[in-house]
Amino acid sequence: MSEAGGRGCGSPVPQRARWRLVAATAAFCLVSATSVWTAGAEPMSREEKQKLGNQVLEMFDHAYGNYMEHAYPADELMPLTCRGRVRGQEPSRGDVDDALGKFSLTLIDSLDTLVVLNKTKEFEDAVRKVLRDVNLDNDVVVSVFETNIRVLGGLLGGHSLAIMLKEKGEYMQWYNDELLQMAKQLGYKLLPAFNTTSGLPYPRINLKFGIRKPEARTGTETDTCTACAGTLILEFAALSRFTGATIFEEYARKALDFLWEKRQRSSNLVGVTINIHTGDWVRKDSGVGAGIDSYYEYLLKAYVLLGDDSFLERFNTHYDAIMRYISQPPLLLDVHIHKPMLNARTWMDALLAFFPGLQVLKGDIRPAIETHEMLYQVIKKHNFLPEAFTTDFRVHWAQHPLRPEFAESTYFLYKATGDPYYLEVGKTLIENLNKYARVPCGFAAMKDVRTGSHEDRMDSFFLAEMFKYLYLLFADKEDIIFDIEDYIFTTEAHLLPLWLSTTNQSISKKNTTSEYTELDDSNFDWTCPNTQILFPNDPLYAQSIREPLKNVVDKSCPRGIIRVEESFRSGAKPPLRARDFMATNPEHLEILKKMGAASSIDAEDGLRFMQEMIELSSQQQKEQQLPPRAVQIVSHPFFGRVVLTAGPAQFGLDLSKHKETRGFVASSKPSNGCSELTNPEAVMGKIALIQRGQCMFAEKARNIQNAGAIGGIVIDDNEGSSSDTAPLFQMAGDGKDTDDIKIPMLFLFSKEGSIILDAIREYEEVEVLLSDKAKDRDPEMENEEQPSSENDSQNQSGEQISSSSQEVDLVDQESSEENSLNSHPESLSLADMDNAASISPSEQTSNPTENHETTNLNGECTDLDNQLQEQSETEEDSNPNVSWGKKVQPIDSILADWNEDIEAFEMMEKDEL
């Protein structure tokens, strides 16, 4: 992210001016608005700010010093084992290792951080080490994206501050552009990656052999992420401007032009991954997090650094689409590029935490405050921001590799508002890092934010970004030896000087935007915004935005809270969205009656709503084609009466194609099954019970299979989770060949799993049947029991499961099959680590009939589970044969009626709009 100086605020900038520095954009004038805030907030004393700044310096020394002592010249420090991580000498971590190129990554990534933290002597020593020790000609395959932002950006940032220090006359007097020459060498090594028909780069390249040579061991990839191809322009353009070699900027511009041309024209969104040869979108979901994030960031910053209007116009076009479709304040949820009203997922990843900072640069403060506050509430609950979390703020992926994006947004919000609240947020970040992540040899990434377990990992971006933003947050202008506002931050927080915008401008700046879309200049503000508009005369403005979000994580209904709060403020209610629609809500039904009756705006809302409902209905029908599996307890005293809904696996024996598996269950040791079992004799010939977490599903399957198990049941480690409050998902593999796994694997949520565990404690020997659907009860075993004992057994069984009646079916075979196949048709593929927590309740954003929470007019969260259950019980009492399909029939009827009106609405929309 970028923050730069407020030169010339208030004076208009001529349209289409070729030369403009940061003063032309909103963010650079936001600093002038600081005085609006300080009048209404209790400021943090300079003494406390200095104390916290000094604490950041000490933390950096702890991390950097341990890297230099225990890891250098390796790429990264392994803080738990106090040694360096060298590519090829440690077990492969997959794509994560593509950032490592045996080029002392952490040292290069930390160069300009040393200057920002006033460690000029250490900076000079570090530059000498880089020039003496670093080799860029290694036979290693690296990520083009990571090498660009971390290494090329690090060298350019180091060069920028080296020449600044040299001009000051005290340090670096010997420096003669050596870092720039290394950057140029690296730039030429990356250029072969662009040898594609589209101009999009290959995702990986061999530093020594390039792409094509057999020794390169790369060049066969067909896909790359949008951010990977679209996050090159700052570093490559800076390299061209510094050296005069225009080829770098030309290649980066061509890649950006191609991505812009391939955007989805109706939604103006881009997908996550794209084919580098054909330009076809491979993953068609779109958001602002992983895979896309820095593409948007670099469009706006390319305008700031290079003064090319087309980049700003492209950014504004994308930003409008983001706020129209992806932004659901305070959430930012991925959507489908072709169906942008349909959410693509019900969870968010941690990388989107950069977006509030980008909104500050854009000048859109309110949504930045809202999203930042939501993220802060998640952090206060888990101490860190999980790699992914659900829309109801449960952990989805539990890792936290000490990412800096939230600290980045905190810094920019403070610079924009001057609100001391953000200093307190930064203080919390410092405290959590020291309390939970600090270890004797540095700072260790969190393996699981729920348990506080560590991972032997300290990524280079932690030193490049985290300490830089935290120090700047608490530093006054006089605390920094140069004017930070003369520079723009890259996505890795490396500093590039703004004067590059007027240097070596030999690149043709053809405005390619107009070739693809018509844009009105009135859409863009070419002057500094009026701070009275950005910040009304209310010193508590930011606090008023944050206040409704204070308990959002606990209440778990953020969209409703914001909508109600907005409604009271504006007097007008936002349009009803299909994902929020409840057939039992009279207010919603009343809104439907009015759609299209009053104005063209109502007609547009009505058309959008009907299209959303049709899309949701279609998606629901597709999901119903993925039935769950069944775990049936067949031993005494259950005899097949207890049928538990289970999720399938994408590997192992497919129970829908093969005969069911029957056997007694046994608990594995260790319970998570992540290593060789210590009790193989106990699971030999049995179905092993394993706890979720700590490793991949496939790894668990291999371990129990090697111990002789005939099947496996993974039980969720998130206490209280249940298949009737969360959608089932398919257990994914580990990205490797899983053909070696021959046994069936099923997944049970916590409540269903506890039934089996309780049965083991009660009866010791428990036999289950793993199948694609429930089977007949076992009459032979039932007949072996005396009538009286059979009745006793049934009573005992009924008592045991009475508290779990929602999970257990004490029914005959037909109703067992119906319930097991139809109760939860949703199936969600989880392709990442198994140590994530349970998925959000019932895919609430993609199924309007299963939203569990809504908000009443007082802004209070209400539990719809109870309402729906009461309604269901009433309907069942009046009609015992009623089915779920009949319950949703009114929606189908409404959809059928609306389908007839779509053409009329479209004609009305065309005439009116």
Side-chain angles (χ1 to χ4, degrees), residues 359-620:
Q359 290 178 306
V360 170
L361 184 60
K362 161 72 176 173
D364 198 1
I365 300 298
R366 182 185 183 88
I369 294 173
E370 291 174 336
T371 299
H372 180 274
E373 182 62 24
M374 177 270 292
L375 295 170
Y376 184 44
Q377 296 301 320
V378 175
I379 289 174
K380 289 204 292 186
K381 180 177 183 179
H382 300 294
N383 299 319
F384 297 99
L385 197 61
E387 276 292 79
F389 54 94
T390 61
T391 53
D392 59 346
F393 308 110
R394 290 185 292 170
V395 173
H396 185 63
W397 295 336
Q399 309 98 307
H400 174 74
L402 306 182
R403 293 199 183 278
E405 285 77 15
F406 181 77
E408 172 185 350
S409 289
T410 302
Y411 165 64
F412 288 113
L413 272 170
Y414 177 66
K415 293 294 291 184
T417 66
D419 191 339
Y421 176 83
Y422 296 108
L423 297 178
E424 296 297 331
V425 173
K427 181 179 179 180
T428 299
L429 297 182
I430 292 174
E431 292 173 347
N432 287 350
L433 283 171
N434 279 320
K435 185 174 182 180
Y436 302 108
R438 186 167 183 143
V439 294
C441 280
F443 291 84
M446 307 304 296
K447 186 176 182 64
D448 192 318
V449 297
R450 298 163 299 181
T451 63
S453 58
H454 289 126
E455 188 174 355
D456 202 4
R457 170 182 180 184
M458 189 178 79
D459 290 84
S460 69
F461 55 68
F462 182 58
L463 285 84
E465 300 183 68
M466 180 70 81
F467 296 114
K468 193 175 294 174
Y469 288 124
L470 287 178
Y471 182 76
L472 290 172
L473 177 64
F474 298 105
D476 291 325
K477 189 171 184 178
E478 56 269 25
D479 296 329
I480 306 171
I481 62 175
F482 64 99
D483 191 349
I484 195 72
E485 296 176 358
D486 287 338
Y487 297 81
I488 188 169
F489 286 111
T490 69
T491 194
E492 190 79 1
H494 294 307
L495 297 170
L496 300 176
L498 294 174
W499 53 258
L500 288 174
S501 61
T502 59
T503 303
N504 291 322
Q505 295 188 72
S506 58
I507 305 298
S508 173
K509 295 182 183 176
K510 178 182 176 182
N511 187 341
T512 56
T513 301
S514 59
E515 296 179 8
Y516 310 117
T517 185
E518 294 183 3
L519 292 170
D520 186 349
D521 278 352
S522 62
N523 292 331
F524 310 112
D525 189 2
W526 301 91
T527 62
C528 292
N530 186 333
T531 57
Q532 296 301 314
I533 297 176
L534 283 174
F535 312 114
N537 287 325
D538 179 6
L540 301 178
Y541 175 70
Q543 181 180 342
S544 69
I545 297 174
R546 293 191 299 263
E547 196 61 34
L549 301 169
K550 290 296 184 183
N551 299 316
V552 67
V553 172
D554 295 328
K555 291 186 177 181
S556 299
C557 56
R559 289 196 301 277
I561 291 176
I562 295 304
R563 287 199 174 102
V564 170
E565 191 259 342
E566 285 281 4
S567 299
F568 283 127
R569 177 177 290 102
S570 63
K573 295 182 179 180
L576 179 63
R577 303 290 290 269
R579 58 176 161 262
D580 304 312
F581 175 72
M582 293 297 302
T584 57
N585 189 323
E587 185 180 0
H588 288 184
L589 296 176
E590 186 65 26
I591 293 174
L592 295 185
K593 293 179 182 178
K594 295 180 179 179
M595 283 185 175
S599 66
S600 61
I601 297 178
D602 290 330
E604 183 181 4
D605 291 342
L607 176 62
R608 180 187 297 113
F609 182 82
M610 287 187 289
Q611 290 173 334
E612 286 183 40
M613 289 296 292
I614 292 171
E615 291 171 351
L616 290 171
S617 177
S618 175
Q619 182 193 42
Q620 187 175 0

Side-chain angles (χ1 to χ4, degrees), residues 93 95-96 283 290 345 347 349-351 387-388 396-401 403 447 455 457 650-651 692-700 729-735 747 828-837 839:
R93 300 176 298 170
D95 293 347
V96 176
R283 277 188 54 188
R345 60 172 63 157
W347 49 271
D349 65 74
L351 286 171
E387 276 292 79
H396 185 63
W397 295 336
Q399 309 98 307
H400 174 74
R403 293 199 183 278
K447 186 176 182 64
E455 188 174 355
R457 170 182 180 184
Q650 296 177 355
F651 52 85
R692 184 183 187 181
Q694 305 302 317
C695 64
M696 308 293 280
F697 289 119
E699 184 178 348
K700 299 175 186 291
F729 60 88
Q730 293 177 309
M731 294 185 290
D734 53 5
F747 177 90
L828 176 66
S829 177
L830 183 64
D832 213 297
M833 288 294 293
D834 160 44
N835 60 2
I839 314 301

